[in-house]
Amino acid sequence: MILKWPALLRMGTAFIGAGLCVAQPSTSSVIDRPHFKVDGVAIVWAADASQNTPIVSDFIVDGAAADIDLIGGDVHTVVTGTLDALDDSFADGTGATLRIQNIQGGPNQTTRQGDRFTSSSDVLNPFQLRGNTDVRTIRSDILSSFYVATNKAFNIDVIAAPVGDPADLNLIRLRMRMTQSGNDAGLSFGSSAQIPHSGNGAASGVQWGGYRRLSTLTGGRDIFRGNRRTAAAPGSIADQSVRFDLDYRWNTGNIDLSDGTFDVEAEVIYTVYIP
């Protein structure tokens, strides 16, 4: 019995300890983890479908799975250096540049008077005919623009489609450039902006330097790849915006009056996105 008593005592002690643990008050934990962040944002502005300007028609937020545009609708371009809205086709009242050549007493006259296409604002002087005085088309350009402000690097994709004859895409070439700052129709932009690529030169980030036929862009491809935001200092949306300038060039050689009239038209869509 003497040998068993200490064992019984230890068992009793262990039992009393267990009882004390059960009697302690229960506890719980409440965990809260607030988390805020500023996502990537790209703001695109120019005109809207009703030709109102200047107006923001795309407000793109970098989502977890895909970019989200908080504004329905699309941005439409304006005439470069102005805030004049363009219609979808830039067709009304405009045409290829004309040259009247071999004028008696010269010189030749053209309708390439600043805007590089024929419109109702062009003015010609009376001219005397010779036997070989003629009218020919010469190279024509349509210059349009849109504006972008971002807090993060972004890319621009381009895709072209014919409006009528698919062969028209072979007759139009495209070049993109950027303007860091300026004043268009009294609205200053870019005073707090930087070219959204750290490379040297105004074409930094633009994927080709010269003109490219629209027929090579039907499958879609990046026309610009950036590596930094446009916003370089505190300022307004306009202050932190750069302007993307598009030059569409049409040149099929000398077209004679006997060729009659025809349209060359395409639709080009630019998608600004945060990669």
Side-chain angles (χ1 to χ4, degrees):
M1 294 297 293
I2 294 174
L3 294 175
K4 294 180 180 179
W5 175 254
L8 290 173
L9 178 63
R10 285 194 297 271
M11 290 175 63
T13 302
F15 176 78
I16 294 173
L20 290 174
C21 289
V22 171
Q24 289 180 348
S26 62
T27 61
S28 65
S29 298
V30 176
I31 299 173
D32 200 3
R33 187 176 295 174
H35 177 207
F36 299 95
K37 67 176 181 177
V38 176
D39 288 317
V41 172
I43 300 170
V44 189
W45 57 280
D48 65 7
S50 300
Q51 301 188 25
N52 298 305
T53 64
I55 188 166
V56 174
S57 297
D58 277 332
F59 196 103
I60 302 157
V61 177
D62 185 16
D67 291 347
I68 303 167
D69 188 358
L70 302 184
I71 300 176
D74 297 304
V75 174
H76 294 249
T77 56
V78 296
V79 177
T80 298
T82 77
L83 291 177
D84 296 334
L86 302 177
D87 62 16
D88 288 343
S89 63
F90 201 163
D92 297 340
T94 65
T97 310
L98 302 175
R99 178 176 61 215
I100 297 89
Q101 60 190 21
N102 301 319
I103 294 173
Q104 177 69 40
N108 294 341
Q109 295 189 55
T110 76
T111 58
R112 188 171 184 169
Q113 299 170 8
D115 51 16
R116 295 193 274 185
F117 54 86
T118 298
S119 68
S120 58
S121 62
D122 294 318
V123 177
L124 297 175
N125 296 319
F127 56 91
Q128 284 189 307
L129 288 174
R130 297 197 308 182
N132 60 348
T133 302
D134 202 359
V135 177
R136 298 284 188 176
T137 60
I138 59 177
R139 192 192 80 201
S140 300
D141 295 81
I142 292 176
L143 308 177
S144 59
S145 297
F146 61 91
Y147 306 78
V148 179
T150 73
N151 66 350
K152 189 175 181 180
F154 64 100
N155 294 350
I156 301 177
D157 178 82
V158 59
I159 185 168
V163 173
D165 187 350
D168 287 351
L169 297 184
N170 284 317
L171 304 178
I172 305 174
R173 296 175 182 266
L174 166 66
R175 185 188 70 180
M176 174 183 277
R177 288 289 186 268
M178 278 179 284
T179 300
Q180 180 176 334
S181 62
N183 186 303
D184 292 344
L187 179 62
S188 297
F189 68 92
S191 61
S192 298
Q194 61 187 354
I195 293 294
H197 195 286
S198 57
N200 294 325
S204 296
V206 177
Q207 293 303 293
W208 59 87
Y211 292 84
R212 179 157 296 193
R213 293 182 189 272
L214 294 187
S215 57
T216 67
L217 305 175
T218 57
R221 60 174 299 170
D222 283 343
I223 190 172
F224 172 77
R225 294 179 193 151
N227 66 0
R228 63 184 183 182
R229 60 184 178 267
T230 67
S236 67
I237 292 174
D239 292 338
Q240 296 173 342
S241 295
V242 300
R243 192 181 73 198
F244 284 87
D245 300 327
L246 312 167
D247 185 349
Y248 299 97
R249 176 166 292 180
W250 178 82
N251 188 0
T252 61
N254 289 328
I255 304 300
D256 188 84
L257 296 180
S258 64
D259 293 304
T261 64
F262 56 89
D263 293 321
V264 176
E265 189 174 354
E267 181 178 76
V268 186
I269 298 174
Y270 301 85
T271 302
V272 178
Y273 69 98
I274 300 172

